Amino acid sequence: MVALDTLRNINKNLASVQNEISTGKKVSSAKDNAAIWAISTVMSTDVESFKTISDSLNLGSSTVGVARSAAEAVTENLQSIKNLIVSAQQSNVDRDKIQADIDELTKGIQTSVSGAQFNGLNLLDGSSSADVDFLASLDRSSSGTVSASYISVGRQDLSLSNSATAATFGTTANADQTIIDSGVNSGTATSAAAGGTLDIAIASVADGNSYRILLNDSATNNTLGQRTFEYVAGSSDSADSVAANLANQISTYLSATGETNYSVSRTDGTITIANASGAALAVTATATTGGTAGTSTGGLGNLATIDVTTDAGATAALTAIEGLLQTSIDAASALGSSQKRIENQGEFVNSLVDAMTTGIGGLTDADMEAASARLQALQVQQQLGVQALSIANSAPQQLLSLFR
């Protein structure tokens, strides 16, 4: 019995070592070490979230980079316009041809600004003054509470015009404020029951229209806070593609932050927001149309007034172009600073993922050299245990031979 018990213990230890070697983990499940497994699992989920955040930062860097490049191109065109204006200060030049060149450069600036979009978001066209937030980090407190941090990038207005008029979003002009609550799509609902859904239908799409959805539970659950998702439609967009882009933005955000109270789905041009929490979620859906030239002055609106065909016009243009150049330079500088900050955060997140992965490995990975040595030792012990058990089993036979 002693030999049998010894052999059982050896086989148990041997199975444990073989599991370490086959999985590469000394803690591969909760039964191995519940505390270490729990810590490593939480850290592993954070690592996956930070990988998604890295993608978000790459998207943000690309978006801001496109706007910065466009702002720098606008600055170069404005410098060329300034050179032409300086040439027009003389009275013995063909000012009409100089003005024609200025008009063409102005059109080039318009093209650069309108084309400075990445994934439908334009930071230069003056369609909105609201900052754009890019997911930058997940902050876990000592109590286990997780909150999201953002990098806010200010929009710049380098448009010649940026007028905006009321637009149709669903069946309501300009804004549709409602509460997701018990499946009742009504702004008068006051109950905080779970299980509610809200359909947001995009009725019409036009080139340059900006579509925005604001989710806000800061007054109730405050797990989501206030978050805005926006898409600017292009000439090839439809209600389906606009809805798909907005739904994808919301879904990516919820997945990255681990938010489980809310979810999003889409059917054609209709976005469905589902609330699985026990409190109301405020939803604001707005759309704004792009303006028409000359109805409202943008950041470079004074370009439209430059006329060097007269002495007075040439003199006034020299003063105006300095202000326009400074506006463009400031915009490019601000966007460059924001892009650098996003890229630095991206590098930090990548380093953080590496450090966390190393830490998780230190908690759970097996020491393969030690495990290999233990395996060989246990195999020898197993062979000796079998032999000891065989000797023990033969002892009764030897005892019986004494009675023959």
Side-chain angles (χ1 to χ4, degrees):
M1 290 179 65
V2 171
L4 180 60
D5 186 56
T6 301
L7 184 58
R8 283 174 177 166
N9 287 332
I10 291 171
N11 287 338
K12 179 181 178 182
N13 292 334
L14 187 60
S16 175
V17 172
Q18 287 174 332
N19 182 66
E20 282 189 32
I21 292 175
S22 62
T23 63
K25 302 285 186 181
K26 63 184 178 184
V27 180
S28 59
S29 64
K31 71 180 179 65
D32 296 329
N33 187 321
I36 295 298
W37 180 85
I39 293 171
S40 63
T41 300
V42 170
M43 292 179 66
S44 295
T45 60
D46 284 350
V47 166
E48 293 304 314
S49 295
F50 274 112
K51 289 179 180 177
T52 303
I53 290 172
S54 181
D55 293 336
S56 173
L57 289 170
N58 288 335
L59 175 63
S61 178
S62 299
T63 302
V64 178
V66 167
R68 176 192 54 79
S69 296
E72 291 172 354
V74 168
T75 301
E76 291 177 2
N77 279 343
L78 287 172
Q79 181 60 54
S80 297
I81 291 176
K82 179 180 178 180
N83 294 339
L84 291 171
I85 291 174
V86 171
S87 299
Q89 300 306 304
Q90 307 175 70
S91 57
N92 61 337
V93 294
D94 192 338
R95 287 176 171 169
D96 288 335
K97 290 181 179 177
I98 292 176
Q99 182 63 44
D101 287 343
I102 291 174
D103 292 341
E104 289 302 313
L105 288 170
T106 299
K107 291 177 182 178
I109 290 174
Q110 287 180 306
T111 301
S112 297
V113 171
S114 61
Q117 59 82 28
F118 189 89
N119 197 32
L121 180 59
N122 193 315
L123 300 178
L124 297 181
D125 63 0
S127 60
S128 173
S129 60
D131 289 350
V132 178
D133 294 334
F134 296 102
L135 185 61
S137 179
L138 289 182
D139 306 325
R140 184 181 294 277
S141 68
S142 58
S143 62
T145 303
V146 178
S147 59
S149 297
Y150 305 92
I151 293 178
S152 294
V153 177
R155 295 173 184 261
Q156 307 296 323
D157 185 3
L158 297 184
S159 64
L160 273 67
S161 63
N162 60 10
S163 66
T165 57
T168 299
F169 201 105
T171 57
T172 306
N174 199 40
D176 180 11
Q177 175 72 39
T178 188
I179 301 296
I180 300 178
D181 192 347
S182 301
V184 180
N185 299 340
S186 170
T188 60
T190 57
S191 169
T197 60
L198 172 68
D199 291 334
I200 303 173
I202 299 177
S204 61
V205 175
D207 185 15
N209 281 13
S210 177
Y211 300 87
R212 188 180 305 169
I213 295 177
L214 169 65
L215 305 181
N216 184 7
D217 71 352
S218 55
T220 53
N221 289 317
N222 200 30
T223 60
L224 178 68
Q226 181 171 306
R227 178 64 178 165
T228 301
F229 306 90
E230 181 178 11
Y231 182 72
V232 179
S235 58
S236 61
D237 274 309
S238 63
D240 290 2
S241 63
V242 171
N245 191 286
L246 288 169
N248 182 64
Q249 289 184 43
I250 298 172
S251 176
T252 300
Y253 173 80
L254 297 178
S255 175
T257 58
E259 176 62 67
T260 58
N261 285 325
Y262 316 109
S263 60
V264 62
S265 59
R266 178 188 68 89
T267 303
D268 299 328
T270 299
I271 301 169
T272 300
I273 308 292
N275 179 10
S277 72
L281 170 68
V283 178
T284 305
T286 59
T288 307
T289 60
T292 55
T295 57
S296 179
T297 302
L300 301 182
N302 286 341
L303 269 177
T305 65
I306 288 180
D307 183 359
V308 298
T309 58
T310 63
D311 289 340
T315 301
L318 192 59
T319 301
I321 194 62
E322 290 298 331
L324 296 173
L325 260 173
Q326 193 59 52
T327 297
S328 180
I329 291 171
D330 290 345
S333 177
L335 291 168
S337 297
S338 296
Q339 186 181 9
K340 184 63 176 178
R341 181 187 174 191
I342 293 174
E343 289 178 350
N344 288 342
Q345 181 65 17
E347 293 175 1
F348 167 73
V349 167
N350 290 334
S351 299
L352 185 62
V353 168
D354 292 341
M356 293 177 69
T357 302
T358 301
I360 294 170
L363 291 173
T364 63
D365 288 353
D367 184 339
M368 299 303 288
E369 291 84 356
S372 177
R374 289 201 307 273
L375 177 64
Q376 293 182 22
L378 288 168
Q379 286 173 338
V380 172
Q381 292 177 37
Q382 184 185 49
Q383 294 172 10
L384 293 174
V386 171
Q387 292 179 8
L389 183 60
S390 177
I391 293 171
N393 285 334
S394 66
Q397 299 298 323
Q398 294 174 4
L399 182 63
L400 286 174
S401 68
L402 296 176
F403 294 92
R404 292 172 184 168

